Amino acid sequence: MSLEETELNVGGVKFKGVYIAIMASIIGTISGGIWAVSEFYSRVGVIDENLAQLEQTVSSISNDSIETMRATIEAEQIKLTTIETRLEDNNISHLQGKLAELQTMLENIGARQVEVLSDAKDSTEKVAQLEKDWLEVRNEYKKMADAIKAFEATQGKFITELDNLWDGLDAATNPLN
């Protein structure tokens, strides 16, 4: 069965083929319009309810509350104005220049610190070498001091023997004394 052969009888009037398709689209459009109008009225009703609640809320706010809110808003506006003025007074672009200058100084300080640490490492190595050399000198000094003490002891014995020899020689040359 094709669209041309289809026939619809409504109240004694016969509709054929294309007329049925046109009527179906017209009926669909009308029913869609009816649904859209119904949805619109539903939304308008919700808006009316919300508006009524808002009106009750606004009417319940007293003049004192409104004045308090105004005072608070004015105080906050004064604070904002003060902050804006401070920002303008501080001249942020000038601060950027100062920050760049500080960064350069910090980089220079870092480079000097690396240099100082390197010098400190070299100095530590030199001090360690000096300590080693000092220990060697001290050990040699102790050896020399011990040798000198041994020499003095030997020399003391020699002087004592020499004095004894002179005394013996004096006694031998002068027996009467």
Side-chain angles (χ1 to χ4, degrees), residues 12 40 61 80 104 129 132 157:
F40 174 74
I61 296 176
L80 284 174
T104 303
Q129 184 61 39
K132 288 179 187 176
K157 289 180 186 176

Side-chain angles (χ1 to χ4, degrees), residues 72-85:
T72 304
I73 290 172
E74 288 174 1
E76 294 302 318
Q77 285 177 339
I78 290 171
K79 287 180 184 176
L80 284 174
T81 305
T82 304
I83 290 171
E84 288 174 355
T85 304

Side-chain angles (χ1 to χ4, degrees), residues 135-160:
L135 289 175
E136 289 176 16
V137 168
R138 188 179 71 181
N139 290 337
E140 286 181 30
Y141 173 76
K142 282 184 180 179
K143 288 179 187 175
M144 289 178 154
D146 291 342
I148 289 173
K149 285 180 183 177
F151 176 72
E152 286 177 347
T154 307
Q155 185 183 9
K157 289 180 186 176
F158 178 72
I159 290 174
T160 306

